[in-house]
């Protein structure tokens, strides 16, 4: 029977070896047409006497990134990836998988079912399904532990970690690492060797010692999960699946896995994580239309403080040449020491090796003279948050930078339109708001002032992708998207604290909700002096009727700025500790209540979460109405990636839709009886609630 090439499968023969190429670029996602065509090709190959062996590979540089997750909410269509994996595993003709680029999720599951696997050194292999609240549903939890042992498979599956070809070879996940240019030839040779009777490398059993080691690793992991405030259903079910791989025959284990996979698909956590995934995709689309990014290779960073050092490391890691500018030699030395400190932590954690460090540092230079920026394609200032200081910096940049250089500010709050108007080239000025630590945090707010050129905006989005960031477009206002919303929900927390809830109860309630840290613990981490400076700046424009809680100011007046001073809302007897409640802080709060004539009242944890979220959602709706955010997905992407909103809930707009906008509005209207100014309902929220609509419908293309 002839093998007929179709649009998603390329077929070719080499002396009895059939090459089947997955051809659904760019990532060869396993959508239904591809699965059906591969199924048909494999069945035809089984019936074709001229085919002695099969090589499964990807076209255009990738094997397969796995499932098309858009299909998960649609009626299921056979064959699914598990059917294909079973067909490959049962093949009477050897199947060799040739892996390059990405071999992830369902793509790797196809390879695990093969009789052998070869790959390039740069290939990325992994089962990342847990990041979407899922588990591998095509045999991955059963075949991977049988191949490399459950103890080695556990972190790969539970953390969704990927490994390169060399690491995969060491684990036994690959049989051979080949030169990328000769990968298919290598796979064909392997297939012919299997035909000649050489041992098949696939294992279907584990030794008793491997079983015992696997069971011990699973028991230890169950204990770790039990200590966490929230665990994804997928994480618990993954452990059950791995235990099934150790204790049950493969056929039974595959059925157990499939049932567990379907439970995960139906879970609220999967729906939230999938929403966050698609929100980031939407947010990452540049609003600049077809404008082409300007080329960027040489970058300048002004300011070697915590933020500037992090920005420099992020850029160096992306292959950019970086010039660090500081005001004098001592400040410059401090900046270089901060950069070195970041790199030393990366080396200690194993995320960087000496050779990579040398490559990064070879592209770093430093100067105190702005003339060193004369050839820069892009400059990011990260100096003190003061308008006069920043406009002085931009005056210097206007003088020394070449025509077409992009001039970016990392301001968190200030008016970028004012900065742009202060120089002769406002079209080149943009906001690139990084989040600390800038080399780690994923969010990059791209703040678009009124006169900026489209290609500058396009460059901001291209740079974010190059740096591995999640870009979100923001309009100009005090705080942009994230910090404007943060200010309001932090105020709601302050009000609850003054009205009777302790900062420790508030933190605990929100950490149980899913935040890694509550607002007061976060304030101690970032430093109370930063918020204090912002409050002082805003004081002249604060409405006289607005409620103002003085507790944070009084802590700062005592020099209690948080972790860096050993105390803030919490006590930090030793560096690196999580922090302990402080009786002196509670006494100070009592003093403030007495001064205001406030009688403390009790708040339940549910009360705390509802008020906190109502304030967040209400201000987010105003941000949308004002055009500061283009769509609800942008707010979800920003709050998840920059402000600790629990990713498995999808984002605050998704959470609001799940809670019901009418219910959220009813809470806000109830709270408004206490403070009408603070709790003024957003007109957009009122309209959507009245219409029975959702924020999610605003995300949909018009």
């Amino acid at each position: 029977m002839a093998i007929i090439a179709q649009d998603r499968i390329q077929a070719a023969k080499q002396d009895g070896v059939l090459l089947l190429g997955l051809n659904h670029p760019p990532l060869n996602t396993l959508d239904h047409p591809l699965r059906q065509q591969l199924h048909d090709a494999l069945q035809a190959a089984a019936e074709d006497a001229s085919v002695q062996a099969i090589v499964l590979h990807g076209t255009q540089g990738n094997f397969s990134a796995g499932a098309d997750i858009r299909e998960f909410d649609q009626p299921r269509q056979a064959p699914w990836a598990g059917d294909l994996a079973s067909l490959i595993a049962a093949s009477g003709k050897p199947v060799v998988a040739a892996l390059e680029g990405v071999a992830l999720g369902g793509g790797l599951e196809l390879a695990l079912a093969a009789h052998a696997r070869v790959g390039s050194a740069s290939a990325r292999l992994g089962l990342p399904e847990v990041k979407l609240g899922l588990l591998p549903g095509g045999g991955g939890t059963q075949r991977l532990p049988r191949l490399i042992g459950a103890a080695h498979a556990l972190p790969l599956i539970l953390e969704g970690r990927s490994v390169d070809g060399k690491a995969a070879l060491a684990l036994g996940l690959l049989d051979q690492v080949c030169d990328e240019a000769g990968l298919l030839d290598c796979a064909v040779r392997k297939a012919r060797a299997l035909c000649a009777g050489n041992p098949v490398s696939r294992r279907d059993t584990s030794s008793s010692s491997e079983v015992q080691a696997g069971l011990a690793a699973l028991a230890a992991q169950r204990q770790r999960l039990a200590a966490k405030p929230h665990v994804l259903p997928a994480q618990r079910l993954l452990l059950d699946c791995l235990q099934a791989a150790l204790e049950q025959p493969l056929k039974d284990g595959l059925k157990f896995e499939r049932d567990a996979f379907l439970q995960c698909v139906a879970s609220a956590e999967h729906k939230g994580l999938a929403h966050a995934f698609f929100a980031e995709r939407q947010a990452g689309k540049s609003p600049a239309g077809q404008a082409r990014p300007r080329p960027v290779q040489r970058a300048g960073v002004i300011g070697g403080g915590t933020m500037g050092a992090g920005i420099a490391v992020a850029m160096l890691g992306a292959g950019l040449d970086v010039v660090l500018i500081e005001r004098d030699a001592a400040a410059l030395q401090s900046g270089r020491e901060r950069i070195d400190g970041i790199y030393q932590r990366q080396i200690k954690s194993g995320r960087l090796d000496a050779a990579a460090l040398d490559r990064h540092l070879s592209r770093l230079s430093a100067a105190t003279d702005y003339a060193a920026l004369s050839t820069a394609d892009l400059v990011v200032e990260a100096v003190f948050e003061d308008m006069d200081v920043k406009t002085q910096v931009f005056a210097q940049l206007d003088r020394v930078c070449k025509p077409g250089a992009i001039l970016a500010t990392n301001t968190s709050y200030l008016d970028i339109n004012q900065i742009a108007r202060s120089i002769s080239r406002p079209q080149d000025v943009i906001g690139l708001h990084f989040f600390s630590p800038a080399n780690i945090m994923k969010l990059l707010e791209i703040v678009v002032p009124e006169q900026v050129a489209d290609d500058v905006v396009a460059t901001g989005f291209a740079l974010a992708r190059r740096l591995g960031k999640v870009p979100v477009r923001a309009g100009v206002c005090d705080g942009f998207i994230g910090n404007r919303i943060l200010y309001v929900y932090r105020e709601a927390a302050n009000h609850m604290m003054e009205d009777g809830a302790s900062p420790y109860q508030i933190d605990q309630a929100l950490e149980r909700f899913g935040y890694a840290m509550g607002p007061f613990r976060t304030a101690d981490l970032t430093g109370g002096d930063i918020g204090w400076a912002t409050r002082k700046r805003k004081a002249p424009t604060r409405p006289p009727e607005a409620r103002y809680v003085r507790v944070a100011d009084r802590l700062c007046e005592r020099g209690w700025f948080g972790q860096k001073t050993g105390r803030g809302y919490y006590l930090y007897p030793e560096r690196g500790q999580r922090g302990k409640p402080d009786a002196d802080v509670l006494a100070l709060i009592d003093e403030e209540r007495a001064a205001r004539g406030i009688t403390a009242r009790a708040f339940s944890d549910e009360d705390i979460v509802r008020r906190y979220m109502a304030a967040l959602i209400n201000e987010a709706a105003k941000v949308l109405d004002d055009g500061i955010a283009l769509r609800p997905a942008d707010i979800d992407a920003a709050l998840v990636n920059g402000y600790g909103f629990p990713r498995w809930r999808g984002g605050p707009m998704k959470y609001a839709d799940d809670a019901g906008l009418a219910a959220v509005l009813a809470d806000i209207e109830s709270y408004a009886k206490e403070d009408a100014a603070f709790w003024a309902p957003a007109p957009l929220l009122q309209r959507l609630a009245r219409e029975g609509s959702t924020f999610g419908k605003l995300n949909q293309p018009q």
Side-chain angles (χ1 to χ4, degrees), residues 69-388:
I69 67 171
R70 292 171 297 185
E71 293 186 353
F72 290 160
D73 291 329
Q74 301 171 5
R76 310 216 195 303
Q77 291 180 285
W80 50 283
D83 296 330
L84 296 174
S86 295
L87 192 59
I88 290 168
S91 172
K93 301 175 180 182
V95 179
V96 176
L99 310 181
E100 63 176 326
V102 295
L104 302 173
L108 182 58
E109 288 178 295
L110 298 185
L112 288 170
H115 300 82
R117 287 150 299 282
V118 300
S120 66
S122 61
R124 301 298 304 181
L125 288 70
L127 296 170
E129 287 86 349
V130 70
K131 295 180 180 180
L132 288 173
L134 298 173
L135 53 79
T141 68
Q142 302 305 299
R143 293 192 174 95
L144 184 63
R146 284 174 166 83
L147 183 66
I148 67 173
H152 291 304
L154 175 60
L156 294 182
I157 297 179
L158 192 64
E159 299 170 23
R161 191 189 305 171
S162 63
V163 295
D164 64 20
K166 291 181 180 178
L169 179 66
L171 286 168
L173 183 48
L174 286 181
D175 299 288
Q176 188 176 348
V177 169
C178 311
D179 178 77
E180 199 164 304
L183 180 61
L184 282 183
D185 290 339
C186 178
V188 169
R189 287 195 296 272
K190 185 70 174 177
R192 288 186 176 134
L194 294 179
C195 289
N198 288 354
V200 172
S201 60
R202 185 183 65 221
R203 298 192 310 165
D204 289 332
T205 59
S206 299
S207 68
S208 59
S209 61
E210 287 176 329
V211 169
Q212 293 308 310
L215 290 173
L218 290 174
Q221 186 60 55
R222 288 187 196 279
Q223 286 188 327
R224 285 191 285 269
L225 291 185
K228 293 186 175 184
H230 180 82
V231 175
L232 299 176
Q235 292 173 303
R236 297 190 191 281
L237 288 167
L238 275 170
L239 299 184
D240 294 341
C241 288
L242 288 169
Q243 187 155 344
L246 293 171
E247 297 177 342
Q248 298 182 22
L250 178 60
K251 181 180 178 182
D252 295 341
L254 290 172
K255 183 180 185 307
F256 187 94
E257 177 196 81
R258 183 61 180 170
D259 292 341
F261 173 79
L262 293 175
Q263 287 183 54
C264 292
V265 170
S267 71
E269 287 84 350
H270 162 61
K271 296 183 190 314
L273 290 164
H275 176 90
F277 174 83
F278 286 116
E280 289 170 1
R281 278 193 175 182
Q282 277 192 291
K285 295 176 181 177
S286 169
Q290 300 301 311
R292 295 177 62 84
R294 297 181 187 179
V296 173
Q297 179 54 39
R298 187 168 174 80
V301 176
I302 303 175
T306 300
M307 182 62 78
I311 294 171
V313 168
M315 290 181 166
L316 290 167
L320 296 175
D321 303 315
V322 176
V323 181
L324 180 67
I325 301 291
E326 261 292 4
R327 62 185 180 277
D328 55 42
L332 201 60
Q333 179 62 26
S334 295
R336 296 208 66 153
E337 288 173 357
R338 288 187 188 93
I339 291 172
D340 185 62
I342 294 171
Y343 281 135
Q344 291 308 313
R345 289 191 291 274
Q346 290 181 355
I347 287 176
K348 187 176 180 180
S349 68
R351 289 179 290 137
L352 191 73
D353 59 28
L357 175 60
D358 289 342
R359 289 196 300 272
H360 294 341
L361 292 180
S362 71
R363 294 193 303 274
L364 175 66
S365 57
T368 57
D369 188 343
Y370 276 66
L373 299 171
S374 62
T375 60
D377 304 309
L378 168 97
V379 179
V380 179
E381 68 78 12
V383 301
F384 187 67
E385 191 78 346
D386 178 270
M387 181 60 78
D388 289 339

